[in-house]
Amino acid sequence: MVPDQQAEFLESPTPRSVFQDPTSLANQARGFLCVSVFAALMGIQHHARAYRSFSETGESLASPEVWGFRIFLGLAALITAVVVSRWIYRANSNARALGAAEMAFTPGGAVGWYFVPIANFWKPYQAMREIWKANASPSAWQRQRVSALLPCWWLLTIAAPSTAGWVTWAVRRGMDGIDEGAAEHLGEAVSQGVLIPASLLLFVIISRVHHMQMMHYRRRRSAGTLPSAESAAGKVRDGG
């Protein structure tokens, strides 16, 4: 799919959304973010041990231990990404159901831009900003401000993958005679350390967005102004 086709697919119009309770997804996302923090702490410990092994004996850790750790880390990252992506989709869709009009990112686009090379450096952040604003005040979301949590989270998120390489390069230049493998493990440990505050910030962002969304949902439900699934489906069939 070429870039123009990708953009057209990700930003295509979406049918009128129906509010779906996001509590379970929010809890799952926050739970797996906690698992990610635990995995990152394990990663720091693993790479610290590997660094000491290289420094003291010049040998790496046993292969089964290394591969077991990598599989655990990969599974934790994959499951967390899937669950958080589902929450992002739901948060965008529910904001529309609560009355947020003219949003630039569709629910699918808010998730899909993470997988588009180059554009994934800024588009996902813009989509998350829109989700925050749309849930802060669905009827007047364009005028809303976003918390400083969001840029801090995104800077850490995009910095984490490249941190290992930069730290490894800096360590090898600043410490004469250090083993290349030892430097790489030190860089990986720092990279895992960057992921911890990024995950914790996303945990807080999900909690705040969820709170705002449920607050508006309860208000509209009490006022009787939230469309039912049946009425929304009828509007879609009628072209509304």
Side-chain angles (χ1 to χ4, degrees):
M1 187 178 290
V2 299
D4 289 344
Q5 291 175 327
Q6 287 176 332
E8 183 179 354
F9 170 75
L10 293 171
E11 305 303 337
S12 58
T14 186
R16 185 182 298 274
S17 299
V18 178
F19 190 93
Q20 300 181 62
D21 191 343
T23 303
S24 177
L25 271 180
N27 289 338
Q28 291 175 33
R30 288 179 290 195
F32 278 104
L33 283 169
C34 290
V35 172
S36 293
V37 170
F38 175 71
L41 289 170
M42 286 189 62
I44 293 173
Q45 182 184 39
H46 168 80
H47 289 296
R49 289 180 61 241
Y51 171 76
R52 287 196 299 270
S53 178
F54 266 109
S55 299
E56 295 171 2
T57 67
E59 298 179 356
S60 61
L61 298 176
S63 294
E65 179 181 348
V66 173
W67 281 106
F69 164 74
R70 288 179 177 176
I71 290 172
F72 168 74
L73 204 64
L75 284 175
L78 177 62
I79 296 173
T80 301
V82 170
V83 175
V84 170
S85 295
R86 292 182 63 206
W87 175 84
I88 291 172
Y89 186 100
R90 180 73 58 82
N92 182 294
S93 178
N94 280 348
R96 294 167 178 272
L98 292 171
E102 299 181 358
M103 292 178 66
F105 294 90
T106 65
V111 174
W113 282 114
Y114 283 88
F115 306 99
V116 179
I118 301 178
N120 58 9
F121 279 99
W122 72 90
K123 285 287 188 178
Y125 171 70
Q126 291 176 340
M128 187 66 82
R129 285 181 75 251
E130 189 175 69
I131 287 172
W132 179 285
K133 294 167 68 174
N135 283 286
S137 179
S139 60
W141 67 268
Q142 293 92 337
R143 298 195 295 270
Q144 298 302 306
R145 292 175 175 267
V146 297
S147 169
L149 294 171
L150 273 77
C152 291
W153 156 70
W154 189 244
L155 285 173
L156 289 170
T157 299
I158 62 176
S162 60
T163 301
W166 283 108
V167 171
T168 300
W169 175 82
V171 168
R172 293 189 65 190
R173 284 183 61 88
M175 298 175 64
D176 294 334
I178 188 171
D179 186 272
E180 181 178 354
E184 289 178 356
H185 281 291
L186 191 58
E188 290 292 342
V190 175
S191 178
Q192 292 295 318
V194 174
L195 285 174
I196 293 175
S199 297
L200 293 175
L201 285 172
L202 184 54
F203 182 102
V204 176
I205 290 169
I206 290 174
S207 298
R208 295 277 295 274
V209 170
H210 178 70
H211 173 75
M212 293 187 293
Q213 191 170 93
M214 294 306 294
M215 179 183 66
H216 288 294
Y217 167 72
R218 294 187 186 101
R219 286 178 180 174
R220 291 201 59 183
R221 188 177 182 184
S222 298
T225 59
L226 194 70
S228 65
E230 291 78 9
S231 63
K235 290 180 180 180
V236 171
R237 287 194 299 269
D238 296 338

